[in-house]
Amino acid sequence: MSNLMNCKPFMKRLSLLVLAAFAFTACLDTLPEDFTSPSTWYKNQKELEASLASVYDPLRDCYSVYLSVEFSQGSDECFSKESTPKLVPYYYNYDAGNNSIKVVWQELYKGIDNANVLLENADNASCDAEVIRRIKGEALFLRAYYHFLLTAYWGDVPLRLESTKSAEDVHKPRTASEEVYRTVIADMADACDMVADIRTLGFGGRVSKQAVKGILARVCLNAAGRLGKSEYYAEARKWAWSLMEEGVCSLNPDYSDVFIKLMQDEYDIRESIFEVECYGNVESTEMKETGQFVAYYTPMYSKQDYCVDEKTKKSIARGRGVFYVTPQLYDSYDDGDLRRDWTIMPYMYKNEAVLEQIPYNEPFRFRWPGKFRREYEINLPVYSWGNSTNYPLLRYSDILLIWAEGVAADPDNHSADDLKQAYEYVNQVRRRGFGKDIGTPDASVDLETGDKSYLLEAIKDERPRELGFELLRKDDIVRWGEFYDRMRYARSLAAAIPDSYTSSYYVNARRTYNNVNRRDEIWPIPTYELGVNRALVQNPGW
């Protein structure tokens, strides 16, 4: 898609080199002549925008494959069918020395430090005050967002609100998650008044007021569950409603169109509110900043890097087809729910573009995730390892479900009107899923009205149907306190596979869920980081 901030790719990488030098030069009396320091860099809007690009960089670096695949698929949505298991998080066969764990930790803290440097120096630029305010708002939000991801994945983590200026600054102890959440929420709230409206931006690849409100609602819902603090449910509703009442965003009437637009590099700011920007493909002579997650999810086999659709004569890139969907996800869909055969592929391309239906097999239903379909790509030439598809971080349907859960899970909310409205929002998501008119009640698909506990369980069922393979499942079952039990249930299904079934995907299903322990709710602090930061201690069980 269009390059973030209208900066050329080389400018993004240049800004990383510039800011990396700051940590080594800021404490020197004499600055080296071949490096740029904060005192000579932040002179104008162009330099501010280039520096801001370096704050955005970890989004693409982390979500291209690590967060979108290796971290997110370690849940009960799917399992890997690879013949040779890798040492990656979704197999639960790794330790604190795992490279993926280290890379994500380092990238997030790199983004935080780049944000801190920018926040500390942006006011020195000679440009419009509103431009400076907007850029600082985006940096402030991203710093908070990276801290949110860190505490969601690792629990108590160092809270870094100042840039690294000396070697001693590296040694910082862990901060209690509750304080991290409080800081994240406060900083995001401040950023909301500083950043641009999504209608002004016209796309979801940059931080907007609507993105901030939506992510704030998610952070508050997460805090309510992780911290056991029920007051955050009301905060989640507040921020979700602040977005909803604007009337700027709404559900796309066609569920599949949301993802077709993503594959065709088309922005839809009504529904897709915040996205990770990717561009080019792995074959490009340009920088290889791609959405590699698409290749992992797509079940298209070919002897070449691409095949040709016999009907349309269009080139379709090969997918790796790494994951199989679990039976509980497939079976969770009701008959007539159109989301099932979009989220879960009912077909594949094989060899010379022969379209094959995928059988519904027992005891596991071996079908692949299907949200990101490569036959809709428009960025040519197609290539098997990646493309320009943006990764969706926030969709409007999630906002509706967050508001509803903020009612159903809140022990302090006794409003009958809120409960009625919560049912309506869940039903709007369901109606769209069945191809019905979103705003018209329909007894054939609407939930029967019940109490809050019934609604909460219905929301828990609805979220994976609506948001499957969008990085939210493991976070959901952890904050509900259900991670281990749900993974044990998946293990029981895998254990029921007869021993006579010896293909790698049967073996992997058994292996993956047998590997899971209670400690796996959070990741280990990287071994490398423990060696660098002497004030850190390891997470329990690792």
Side-chain angles (χ1 to χ4, degrees):
M1 293 192 174
S2 57
N3 290 338
L4 193 62
M5 277 34 111
N6 294 318
C7 293
K8 297 294 184 182
F10 78 86
M11 179 59 78
K12 297 183 184 182
R13 292 302 176 190
L14 174 62
S15 63
L16 281 178
L17 296 176
V18 169
L19 293 175
F22 288 170
F24 297 97
T25 61
C27 59
L28 301 177
D29 293 331
T30 302
L31 297 177
E33 295 181 0
D34 57 343
F35 286 93
T36 301
S37 75
S39 63
T40 60
W41 174 252
Y42 295 93
K43 301 187 301 293
N44 51 51
Q45 181 177 347
K46 181 179 179 181
E47 292 178 356
L48 289 184
E49 296 279 14
S51 299
L52 181 59
S54 74
V55 184
Y56 275 90
D57 262 348
L59 288 176
R60 184 181 57 253
D61 293 340
C62 289
Y63 281 101
S64 179
V65 66
Y66 295 110
L67 293 183
S68 62
V69 177
E70 293 188 9
F71 279 41
S72 63
Q73 299 319 316
S75 73
D76 58 350
E77 287 182 336
C78 65
F79 65 95
S80 171
K81 70 174 188 63
E82 294 161 303
S83 57
T84 303
K86 298 185 296 185
L87 297 177
V88 290
Y90 57 69
Y91 268 123
Y92 292 100
N93 62 347
Y94 62 95
D95 57 25
N98 180 265
N99 185 65
S100 298
I101 300 291
K102 181 185 74 171
V103 167
V104 173
W105 174 282
Q106 289 179 332
E107 285 293 324
L108 293 175
Y109 272 114
K110 181 177 71 176
I112 287 170
D113 203 56
N114 288 346
N116 283 331
V117 174
L118 178 54
L119 290 168
E120 290 164 4
N121 293 279
D123 289 331
N124 296 330
S126 297
C127 61
D128 187 273
E130 281 303 310
V131 170
I132 295 175
R133 177 177 170 81
R134 186 259 302 163
I135 289 174
K136 289 176 66 175
E138 292 178 57
L140 183 62
F141 169 83
L142 290 170
R143 185 184 73 177
Y145 184 66
Y146 297 151
H147 275 113
F148 165 60
L149 293 178
L150 285 159
T151 197
Y153 289 126
W154 281 280
D156 298 346
V157 294
L159 182 64
R160 295 189 177 274
L161 304 180
E162 296 180 353
S163 63
T164 303
K165 300 179 178 66
S166 70
E168 288 305 309
D169 291 343
V170 172
H171 304 293
K172 189 173 180 63
R174 300 168 66 154
T175 304
S177 293
E178 186 167 2
E179 182 178 345
V180 177
Y181 275 110
R182 282 200 302 266
T183 303
V184 165
I185 292 169
D187 283 352
M188 286 187 176
D190 288 342
C192 189
D193 293 328
M194 302 167 70
V195 299
D197 190 285
I198 197 169
R199 290 167 291 187
T200 301
L201 297 173
F203 68 110
R206 190 166 185 165
V207 177
S208 66
K209 291 184 183 297
Q210 289 73 22
V212 174
K213 291 177 180 181
I215 295 296
L216 256 170
R218 178 182 294 167
V219 170
C220 291
L221 197 65
N222 192 289
R226 291 292 188 95
L227 302 177
K229 300 284 187 178
S230 61
E231 59 266 29
Y232 283 109
Y233 288 119
E235 287 293 300
R237 292 197 309 274
K238 180 188 77 173
W239 287 108
W241 178 248
S242 181
L243 170 58
M244 294 157 64
E245 70 174 345
E246 294 177 335
V248 174
C249 301
S250 61
L251 292 177
N252 183 327
D254 185 340
Y255 183 77
S256 63
D257 188 55
V258 175
F259 305 98
I260 292 174
K261 280 184 166 62
L262 281 168
M263 295 302 299
Q264 295 185 338
D265 287 354
E266 182 180 347
Y267 293 106
D268 178 8
I269 61 173
R270 297 173 304 165
E271 168 120 7
S272 190
I273 304 169
F274 192 32
E275 303 174 1
V276 178
E277 287 281 336
C278 296
Y279 61 91
N281 58 38
V282 180
E283 194 176 59
S284 300
T285 56
E286 243 189 349
M287 301 221 10
K288 301 173 182 179
E289 307 297 345
T290 70
Q292 294 185 39
F293 65 92
V294 172
Y296 279 83
Y297 292 155
T298 308
M300 299 182 196
Y301 288 163
S302 173
K303 295 177 181 178
Q304 306 298 324
D305 282 338
Y306 65 91
C307 57
V308 179
D309 187 289
E310 295 174 335
K311 293 181 179 180
T312 65
K313 306 302 180 184
K314 181 179 179 180
S315 297
I316 302 174
R318 177 183 181 180
R320 296 194 65 210
V322 169
F323 299 102
Y324 275 146
V325 174
T326 55
Q328 62 264 41
L329 177 60
Y330 187 96
D331 291 341
S332 71
Y333 290 93
D334 296 325
D335 291 341
D337 192 332
L338 304 177
R339 295 172 298 182
R340 186 195 70 186
D341 284 351
W342 187 267
T343 301
I344 304 171
M345 289 286 281
Y347 62 87
M348 67 177 178
Y349 285 91
K350 188 173 183 179
N351 296 329
E352 289 75 28
V354 177
L355 184 65
E356 292 192 357
Q357 292 297 119
I358 301 174
Y360 183 81
N361 289 337
E362 297 290 350
F364 264 33
R365 290 75 165 158
F366 290 126
R367 297 189 179 186
W368 289 267
K371 276 189 170 175
F372 307 99
R373 303 195 178 187
R374 305 204 69 174
E375 60 260 46
Y376 294 100
E377 286 183 59
I378 61 173
N379 186 12
L380 302 176
V382 294
Y383 188 75
S384 63
W385 273 98
N387 64 4
S388 60
T389 299
N390 283 6
Y391 195 85
L393 292 184
L394 179 67
R395 293 197 292 112
Y396 187 69
S397 57
D398 192 15
I399 299 301
L400 295 176
L401 294 176
I402 287 173
W403 195 94
E405 186 176 341
V407 173
D410 187 355
D412 300 320
N413 187 301
H414 306 289
S415 169
D417 289 339
D418 281 357
L419 183 60
K420 180 180 179 180
Q421 192 62 57
Y423 270 96
E424 172 60 19
Y425 289 148
V426 177
N427 285 332
Q428 287 179 14
V429 174
R430 288 179 55 81
R431 290 170 201 150
R432 196 261 297 268
F434 284 82
K436 306 289 186 177
D437 180 76
I438 295 169
T440 303
D442 191 315
S444 67
V445 300
D446 287 359
L447 297 172
E448 295 183 9
T449 302
D451 59 15
K452 288 171 59 176
S453 61
Y454 173 78
L455 177 61
L456 181 58
E457 292 306 310
I459 292 170
K460 290 179 179 181
D461 293 338
E462 199 64 36
R463 286 188 64 82
R465 291 192 286 254
E466 173 67 22
L467 302 165
F469 311 113
E470 296 182 48
L471 187 58
L472 298 172
R473 179 59 176 172
K474 185 180 179 185
D475 176 69
D476 283 346
I477 57 180
V478 168
R479 66 184 175 81
W480 293 331
E482 300 175 0
F483 169 77
Y484 188 64
D485 290 341
R486 288 186 181 263
M487 297 298 273
R488 282 179 63 87
Y489 177 67
R491 183 172 70 178
S492 71
L493 296 178
I497 300 174
D499 292 339
S500 58
Y501 288 58
T502 57
S503 296
S504 62
Y505 34 84
Y506 294 111
V507 173
N508 285 350
R510 300 187 194 101
R511 176 190 294 117
T512 298
Y513 294 107
N514 280 333
N515 287 344
V516 178
N517 293 291
R518 292 190 183 277
R519 71 177 187 177
D520 293 310
E521 287 192 1
I522 55 176
W523 307 116
I525 304 295
T527 301
Y528 176 86
E529 191 66 22
L530 291 172
V532 172
N533 181 355
R534 295 190 298 271
L536 283 180
V537 294
Q538 186 56 275
N539 275 325
W542 293 99

